[in-house]
Amino acid sequence: MADRINKFGQEVTLIAYDAAGVEIFQTDTLRVDFDIRHIETYTRAKIGIFNLSPDTIKLLTKPKSIFLTLWVSLHGATPVKIASDLYVSNAINEIKVPDSELCLYCTSKYKENLDRPVDVWVKNPTLSKVIKKVFENSGYNGLYELRHFPAEYLSYVNYRPTLRQGSLMTVLESMGEEYGFTVFTENNIIVLLYRCQTANYKTSTFEREEHVVKLSSNNLRSSPKIGIAAMSIVSNLDLNIKPGAVLDISDLTTASVDLDFTKLAIGLDLVQQGVAGFNKYQVQKVQHKGSNWIDLWQTQAVAHPPTQGESMNTDAWWTPYSY
């Protein structure tokens, strides 16, 4: 029996299963690289498995539904699930002499649910009532979470009846533009994440302890980069950093100006003037990357503060940012 791969103390276990949940393949003895992105609408991922046998390649690339779950562990710690219910939408076997890599391109299993049609009419709608009716009308009976919504938003009654039509995704996106939230998938949950603002973050769950991740220089790969209405970080792999997590930078002593914004924020003084006064940032995009073979084990995130700076509007959520 082959030994488990754990170079640099990094372990990855991959499990593949069919639509019925029957396991068809598992490995912790082959090189596995992963790149998992929690971004708007649904999770995307690229999983690379090295030096598979031809029969296993055929098994994982059959024209039928294949799903993946990944567990990770560092230095013998208890394994933690980093992703589940990843649907393999495409697969390419590449020869990288002397190795071969099967690249599995995945989306969240729940993308299929988000593509379902919706046609619903709601009278005396509160936001929570409309969301519930929209999910029910689409036929989705799984889990969903309303994250960071202020209570007054969910309970406010609009006495005009509302009609919602389209796919579940387009309906939720339209409502998100109206009510200020973004759609994500997180393993087996569809998450509606409210983008907290200056006027209402105190009545939301923004500052609850379970959502706060206190950043430490011991866990960061580099100083945070602060730009207009955004902060980006690169840390060691941290699964607590996910959409809706609140990054607390109060213990950090240094930060740098994001190079993407140097033309707008020429000096550190301008950045301090614009964003000083609040030390918590709400995560909106997350990328987890790692391998059990090479020195790659990190989390990259983009986050935004809910409050306004002194001279620039730091709750301007339009700020473009991509990896």
Side-chain angles (χ1 to χ4, degrees), residues 81-97:
K81 186 186 299 183
I82 189 173
S84 65
D85 292 331
L86 293 174
Y87 168 67
V88 178
S89 60
N90 195 14
I92 300 175
N93 191 46
E94 300 179 358
I95 304 300
K96 298 180 177 180
V97 179

Side-chain angles (χ1 to χ4, degrees), residues 73-85:
S73 174
L74 185 64
H75 299 308
T78 302
V80 179
K81 186 186 299 183
I82 189 173
S84 65
D85 292 331

Side-chain angles (χ1 to χ4, degrees), residues 131-158:
I131 291 172
K132 180 180 179 181
K133 292 292 186 181
V134 163
F135 275 111
E136 289 177 350
N137 188 262
S138 73
Y140 177 72
N141 56 6
L143 300 175
Y144 69 89
E145 179 184 344
L146 308 182
R147 189 172 294 174
H148 292 323
F149 281 79
E152 64 269 22
Y153 261 52
L154 294 174
S155 60
Y156 175 76
V157 178
N158 182 347

Side-chain angles (χ1 to χ4, degrees), residues 81-210:
K81 186 186 299 183
I82 189 173
S84 65
D85 292 331
L86 293 174
Y87 168 67
V88 178
S89 60
N90 195 14
I92 300 175
N93 191 46
E94 300 179 358
I95 304 300
K96 298 180 177 180
V97 179
D99 301 312
S100 67
E101 178 186 9
L102 179 64
C103 298
L104 302 176
Y105 296 91
C106 308
T107 62
S108 169
K109 172 183 178 180
Y110 295 92
K111 178 181 181 297
E112 179 183 355
N113 298 95
L114 292 168
D115 290 335
R116 292 179 178 178
V118 170
D119 186 354
V120 63
W121 180 269
V122 186
K123 295 181 180 179
N124 298 332
T126 61
L127 178 56
S128 59
K129 181 178 179 181
V130 174
I131 291 172
K132 180 180 179 181
K133 292 292 186 181
V134 163
F135 275 111
E136 289 177 350
N137 188 262
S138 73
Y140 177 72
N141 56 6
L143 300 175
Y144 69 89
E145 179 184 344
L146 308 182
R147 189 172 294 174
H148 292 323
F149 281 79
E152 64 269 22
Y153 261 52
L154 294 174
S155 60
Y156 175 76
V157 178
N158 182 347
Y159 289 98
R160 292 184 302 172
T162 182
L163 176 65
R164 302 290 178 178
Q165 293 178 312
S167 69
L168 178 57
M169 185 71 253
T170 58
V171 167
L172 290 176
E173 284 181 322
S174 174
M175 293 175 63
E177 292 177 2
E178 182 179 351
Y179 291 99
F181 66 82
T182 309
V183 183
F184 295 90
T185 58
E186 185 179 298
N187 292 329
N188 65 336
I189 304 174
I190 295 177
V191 177
L192 307 185
L193 173 62
Y194 180 74
R195 302 188 295 268
C196 295
Q197 305 291 337
T198 305
N200 55 31
Y201 77 91
K202 290 184 178 180
T203 61
S204 74
T205 59
F206 180 82
E207 295 190 288
R208 284 189 183 174
E209 184 177 349
E210 65 265 26

Side-chain angles (χ1 to χ4, degrees), residues 220 222-227 231-232 249 252-258 268 271-272 275 281:
L220 292 177
S222 60
S223 296
K225 293 181 179 180
I226 296 178
M231 177 184 71
S232 65
I249 63 172
L252 302 181
T253 57
T254 60
S256 59
V257 179
D258 196 316
L268 184 58
V271 176
Q272 289 177 333
V275 301
Y281 290 72

